[in-house]
Amino acid sequence: MALSTKNSKDRKNPLEYTRNIGIAAHIDAGKTTTTERILFYTGVVHKMGEVHDGATVTDWMEQERERGITITSAAISCSWTTKEGPFKGIEQRVNIIDTPGHVDFTAEVERSLRVLDGAVGVFCAVAGVQPQSETVWRQMDKYHVPRLAFVNKMDRTGADFLGAVHDIRHKLGGNAHPLYLNIGAEDKFKGLVDLVKEVAYIYDETDPKGMDFHEVAIPAEYAAQTKEYRNSLIEALADFDDNLAEKFLDGVSVTIEELRHAIRKATLSMQFLGVIPGSAFKNKGVQMLLDSVVNYLPSPLDLPPMPAHKDDGEIVGVSPDDSALPCGLAFKLATDPFVGKLIFFRMYAGTLRKGDVLYNPRTRKTERISRLMLMKANDRIDIDVAYSGDICAIIGARNVITGDTLCARELDFRLEPPTFPEPVISMSIEPKTKADQEKLSLALQRLAEEDPTFCVTSNQDTGQTIIAGMGELHLEIIRDRLFREFKVEADAGRPQIAYRETIRQPADGEGKFIRQSGGRGQYGHAIIKLEPNEKGKGIEIVNEIVGGVVPREYIKPIEEGITEGARNGTVAGYPVVDFIARIVDGSFHEVDSSEMAFKMAGIFAFKDAMKKASPLLLEPIMKVEVATPEMYQGDVMGDLNRRRGQIQGMETKGPIVNITAHVPLENMFGYATDVRSLSKGRASYVMEPECFSDVPSSIAQKIVETSSRAPART
C-alpha cells in the first residue's frame, strides 16, 4: 500500500496505520475488561488484570480500584498486526481511550469522543441496550464518530447475541449487522463464525488466556444460519457499494476482499454498524475485535477536514499533514504529582517538538511546550516529537483550559471545543481548620480546571463555598480526592438541587444607574425586552439599538450586565435560563457615562423585566431505569409514583422487568438503599439527567421559603 505524502519521513507509524479509538458503553458492560484484554494481546501487559481485583492498567486511581468503576478516561497506546485483510502483516498503532460508564462522569466520554476517529461500543449480551448506552450513542452521533459494536458477556446466563443486535437496531436506530456469529452461548460459548471468510474459530479450552484458537470448517448445525446472515450482510452493504450491489443482484459470489472493502466503506459512512460477539472476561473474541478495528475503523486520513473558526466567521478545514503548520486541541487537563499540570492534546495537523511555542487564540498569548509525553494510563513516556493524528500530553503550557486550541500564530483560529452538560446537584463545603482554608481553595481551583462539569462558587449571602457536579457520586469522589491528593480535610453540607429559573411571558425592563458625588459622576440607562426562549436554547441577547441612542462601546457592558443578572434570578436566586433579551433603548451622558455604569444598568434592567415576566422555578428531572425481578414490580412502581415519578414504559427480559420513569432529582436521594430494601437486594437502577421541568407551585413556595440563596423573592 502506497503511503500518503502527508507523512513525515521520520515518522515511525504512518497516518494510514494509526487508529485513535475509544471504548464506550453503559456502566458494567465490560469496557475496562475489554481494554485490559486488548493490552494483553497486543503485548503491552504480560498479565491480565481484573476489575474486581483492582488490578487493571486503565483503572489506576485508588477510587476506581476500590469501587470497581472507571472514573477518569485513560489513554494508552498499543500495536497490532492483523493476519487478515488489506492491512495484513502491517503493524498498526492503536491509541485507545477507556471511558467511564457512570453518568456522573459523562464529561470524560464527551471530551474523549470529540478527539477520537472511531469507537467501539460495548454492549452486554444479557441486558442489550441500556440507558447509558443510549447516551453514549448520542454522543458518538454528535461528533460523527464511526463505530463498531462488541457484544460482551456471551458467557453469562441469559446471553443472547442476536437479541442484542435487535436491541441496537430498534432502540438506537443503528443499521447493525453481525460480522461474526457466536458458536454456543452461556457456559457453552466456545467460538465464532466469521461471516466474511466463511470459517469458524474454536477456542482451545485448555488455554485459559485465549491465545490459542483453531480455524475449522463451519459446524453443520450453523451452516444455514451462516448463509442467512451472510446474505443479509451482503444485501445491507450493497447500499454502499455499487460493484457489490451488481454482483448481489446477478447472483454472483462476492470475494472476501470485496466484502471487507464494502464493510470499511459502509462503516466510514456512519450508516452501518458491524457487530462482533465475545466474552472479554473469558478471553474470547477480542482478537477478532482488534482485526475489525484495524480493517474497518478510520485512520486520521479517512475523515473529513476538521472545521476551525476564525474571528471573522470564516470556517476553514484542518486536515492531517505532518508538513503543515501545527494545530491541535487541548481536550483534558490533569494534575500529576510528579510533573504538575498535564494537558492531553490531539494533534490535528503539523509536527510538534518539545521547546516549540504555540499560540492560544482564546488568550491571545503564546505557550512554550517544555515536555511531550505519550500516556500509558498513569505512566508517562517522554517523546521528542508528536505528529499529526497523535494523542499526547504536553507540559509547560500554563494558561490553558479544556477546549482550547493551540496552533501556530499564523493560523489564529479555533477548533470546535467539546460541550458539557450543566451540573444538577450542589453542596456547601468548608475546611475543618483555618490552616486548610488556603489549601482547599487551591485544590478546588485545580479540580475545577480538570473537570468542566465541576463548578465552584461562593454564596454572597452566607459566605459559603458551594461545589456543584453531576451527581452524588461525582461530589463524593471530589471530596475523596481533596483528602487523598491534596491532604485537605473538609466538611460538606447536605446535597442541594441545582434548580433553574425561567420566564413565562414577555416583559419590558428599565435600568438606570446614576451616581453624583462632586466631579465626574456615573450615568447608565438601558431598556430591554425579555421573551421566553425555546426549552434548552439557553440565553440569547440581541442588540436592537438604532440611531446611536446608546453608543456602540456601551452595548457589550449592557450584555455583560444582563448575563450577570441572570446568574441570580428573582424567584429564589437560582440561574435564569432559556430567555431572549433584546436591548431596545437607553440614553447616555457625554461626560458621566462609563462601561461600569452601563453594566449596572443592564443588571437593573434585567431584574426589573424578570419580576414582570411571570418567573418560575425549574427542577432537574432524571431518567431512571430500574431492573427488578417481576415479583417486586408493583412495589417499585408504587415507590416511583410516591416520588412524583412518571412511568414511561416497561420491558420484560426473562425474569427481569425494566421500568423506565422520569423522576425529580429532589426525590431520588437515598434511592439506592430504598430500592434494595423493596426488592430484598435484587433490584438495581441507573439514572441520568433528562431535562428541567416546572416545579409544582406548592413545592416551589417551600423552596423559596427555605432558600438561603434568595436575595430577592417574588
Side-chain angles (χ1 to χ4, degrees):
M1 182 181 286
L3 295 181
S4 166
T5 56
K6 295 182 178 181
N7 288 293
S8 164
K9 60 181 174 55
D10 300 321
R11 184 179 186 126
K12 182 185 173 189
N13 301 99
L15 281 159
E16 290 86 345
Y17 309 147
T18 299
R19 301 288 182 272
N20 293 314
I21 67 163
I23 311 286
H26 181 88
I27 189 169
D28 202 32
K31 297 177 299 300
T32 301
T33 305
T34 302
T35 306
E36 190 73 13
R37 298 312 186 258
I38 289 173
L39 298 182
F40 175 75
Y41 292 124
T42 56
V44 173
V45 297
H46 301 290
K47 180 185 176 186
M48 289 180 275
E50 305 296 351
V51 172
H52 55 265
D53 294 332
T56 58
V57 173
T58 52
D59 281 356
W60 55 269
M61 290 175 66
E62 290 178 45
Q63 293 89 341
E64 292 176 316
R65 294 185 167 179
E66 288 171 359
R67 291 169 173 81
I69 61 170
T70 302
I71 292 169
T72 182
S73 53
I76 196 158
S77 296
C78 58
S79 297
W80 180 252
T81 305
T82 179
K83 297 174 183 174
E84 307 285 351
F87 301 99
K88 178 181 177 180
I90 302 171
E91 183 178 281
Q92 306 276 330
R93 174 154 165 205
V94 183
N95 299 317
I96 303 172
I97 296 184
D98 175 31
T99 64
H102 198 288
V103 67
D104 283 17
F105 310 107
T106 190
E108 292 288 319
V109 187
E110 188 86 22
R111 57 181 165 195
S112 299
L113 290 174
R114 167 62 185 83
V115 298
L116 291 169
D117 302 329
V120 175
V122 181
F123 297 87
C124 173
V126 181
V129 172
Q130 296 166 281
Q132 191 65 7
S133 312
E134 297 178 38
T135 304
V136 169
W137 190 270
R138 287 195 300 270
Q139 289 170 315
M140 291 183 196
D141 283 343
K142 177 180 172 182
Y143 294 115
H144 309 292
V145 180
R147 68 210 73 157
L148 294 168
F150 182 60
V151 176
N152 192 26
K153 302 192 178 183
M154 284 301 302
D155 60 303
R156 288 266 303 273
T157 302
D160 182 359
F161 172 62
L162 295 177
V165 174
H166 178 272
D167 247 16
I168 294 169
R169 286 180 185 163
H170 288 80
K171 289 186 178 178
L172 302 177
N175 184 18
H177 290 271
L179 301 179
Y180 297 82
L181 294 174
N182 56 297
I183 298 176
E186 302 178 348
D187 58 345
K188 293 184 173 62
F189 177 51
K190 61 179 182 179
L192 287 80
V193 172
D194 186 337
L195 293 180
V196 175
K197 277 185 71 181
E198 293 186 282
V199 298
Y201 303 110
I202 304 293
Y203 279 85
D204 184 351
E205 296 297 334
T206 62
D207 174 23
K209 293 181 178 178
M211 297 288 282
D212 291 330
F213 54 86
H214 309 291
E215 184 178 310
V216 298
I218 296 169
E221 63 269 31
Y222 289 95
Q225 190 187 41
T226 300
K227 184 177 180 181
E228 176 192 347
Y229 281 94
R230 191 173 197 268
N231 285 340
S232 176
L233 175 64
I234 294 171
E235 187 177 355
L237 293 170
D239 293 337
F240 304 94
D241 191 304
D242 292 340
N243 175 51
L244 206 69
E246 193 175 318
K247 286 195 167 188
F248 177 72
L249 292 172
D250 293 342
V252 179
S253 61
V254 178
T255 68
I256 294 171
E257 289 71 26
E258 287 172 333
L259 200 47
R260 286 197 176 117
H261 173 77
I263 294 170
R264 180 175 180 81
K265 187 176 178 181
T267 303
L268 296 186
S269 76
M270 284 190 55
Q271 303 300 312
F272 174 87
L273 180 75
V275 192
I276 303 128
S279 168
F281 184 59
K282 294 292 185 180
N283 312 315
K284 292 182 174 77
V286 178
Q287 297 99 321
M288 293 74 183
L289 174 63
L290 274 166
D291 284 345
S292 299
V293 164
V294 166
N295 287 329
Y296 307 133
L297 287 183
S299 75
L301 289 172
D302 293 316
L303 297 173
M306 186 61 59
H309 302 264
K310 293 199 165 189
D311 285 344
D312 60 5
E314 183 188 354
I315 299 177
V316 296
V318 180
S319 298
D321 186 346
D322 291 343
S323 60
L325 292 170
C327 166
L329 185 75
F331 67 95
K332 177 176 174 175
L333 274 61
T335 302
D336 188 287
F338 301 104
V339 297
K341 187 174 180 178
L342 271 177
I343 298 164
F344 287 74
F345 194 66
R346 166 68 194 261
M347 285 288 293
Y348 280 104
T351 303
L352 180 63
R353 301 178 188 279
K354 60 182 183 181
D356 284 357
V357 174
L358 292 178
Y359 176 70
N360 186 339
R362 179 183 62 85
T363 61
R364 304 288 180 199
K365 292 181 180 176
T366 55
E367 302 281 356
R368 181 173 293 278
I369 311 304
S370 58
R371 288 172 72 184
L372 280 171
M373 294 178 169
L374 270 185
M375 296 303 295
K376 297 219 169 183
N378 62 329
D379 288 333
R380 302 159 302 277
I381 300 171
D382 277 285
I383 56 174
D384 294 325
V385 59
Y387 299 99
S388 56
D390 283 354
I391 293 175
C392 61
I394 58 180
I395 296 170
R398 296 181 177 276
N399 192 9
V400 174
I401 62 173
T402 300
D404 273 357
T405 299
L406 296 178
C407 58
R409 185 183 281 275
E410 301 94 304
L411 297 177
D412 195 13
F413 54 52
R414 300 188 195 187
L415 294 161
E416 196 75 40
T419 56
F420 302 103
E422 290 282 321
V424 297
I425 189 170
S426 64
M427 63 169 64
S428 61
I429 189 163
E430 299 294 338
K432 283 192 173 179
T433 67
K434 199 80 172 171
D436 280 331
Q437 179 72 54
E438 192 174 331
K439 281 173 28 179
L440 175 67
S441 177
L442 182 63
L444 290 175
Q445 181 187 338
R446 285 194 182 169
L447 290 171
E449 277 183 1
E450 285 184 24
D451 185 350
T453 58
F454 172 64
C455 301
V456 184
T457 55
S458 181
N459 187 313
Q460 295 179 355
D461 294 345
T462 64
Q464 287 180 307
T465 300
I466 307 294
I467 59 174
M470 297 304 297
E472 287 182 271
L473 179 61
H474 188 192
L475 296 184
E476 182 188 322
I477 297 295
I478 291 288
R479 286 183 60 202
D480 199 32
R481 290 187 63 190
L482 283 173
F483 177 68
R484 295 195 191 190
E485 292 176 35
F486 298 96
K487 312 300 183 214
V488 176
E489 297 222 22
D491 292 319
R494 184 180 180 275
Q496 302 294 317
I497 310 299
Y499 293 100
R500 295 287 184 269
E501 297 180 23
T502 193
I503 58 173
R504 276 180 287 209
Q505 64 184 43
D508 297 338
E510 183 174 10
K512 278 187 178 180
F513 183 75
I514 304 171
R515 291 286 185 273
Q516 201 67 48
S517 56
R520 183 173 176 176
Q522 295 282 354
Y523 182 90
H525 177 213
I527 298 174
I528 68 169
K529 287 181 180 291
L530 276 191
E531 300 169 10
N533 205 350
E534 287 180 47
K535 187 176 282 190
K537 278 292 184 74
I539 298 172
E540 293 180 37
I541 302 175
V542 183
N543 174 24
E544 295 186 352
I545 293 289
V546 291
V549 291
V550 176
R552 185 186 297 270
E553 64 265 27
Y554 296 136
I555 299 300
K556 190 172 182 185
I558 296 175
E559 292 175 353
E560 290 171 353
I562 293 169
T563 304
E564 188 164 314
R567 289 177 190 156
N568 299 97
T570 58
V571 179
Y574 290 98
V576 187
V577 296
D578 299 338
F579 66 84
I580 301 171
R582 303 183 188 278
I583 307 169
V584 295
D585 204 354
S587 60
F588 73 104
H589 190 280
E590 290 285 358
V591 177
D592 291 349
S593 284
S594 66
E595 290 188 1
M596 191 275 285
F598 272 97
K599 182 176 179 180
M600 295 303 297
I603 294 173
F604 295 158
F606 174 80
K607 297 290 186 187
D608 182 44
M610 174 96 182
K611 289 175 184 175
K612 305 172 190 172
S614 294
L616 73 154
L617 208 56
L618 302 174
E619 64 182 342
I621 303 295
M622 310 302 285
K623 180 182 177 184
V624 181
E625 182 164 312
V626 186
T628 177
E630 198 168 357
M631 67 181 76
Y632 303 113
Q633 176 184 339
D635 293 338
V636 170
M637 289 176 67
D639 183 63
L640 288 170
N641 285 327
R642 282 192 293 276
R643 296 171 188 270
R644 292 197 286 130
Q646 295 180 342
I647 306 298
Q648 301 296 308
M650 289 181 293
E651 182 184 30
T652 302
K653 283 195 172 183
I656 300 296
V657 178
N658 290 322
I659 303 166
T660 305
H662 290 169
V663 191
L665 176 60
E666 179 198 24
N667 299 325
M668 289 303 293
F669 290 122
Y671 185 64
T673 305
D674 294 344
V675 77
R676 288 189 191 115
S677 299
L678 286 170
S679 62
K680 296 185 170 55
R682 295 173 63 190
S684 62
Y685 83 101
V686 290
M687 70 176 182
E688 60 181 353
E690 177 69 15
C691 61
F692 280 87
S693 185
D694 301 4
V695 179
S697 55
S698 58
I699 296 172
Q701 189 58 40
K702 290 178 186 175
I703 295 169
V704 171
E705 289 170 1
T706 58
S707 175
S708 61
R709 298 179 58 188
R713 294 175 184 169
T714 58

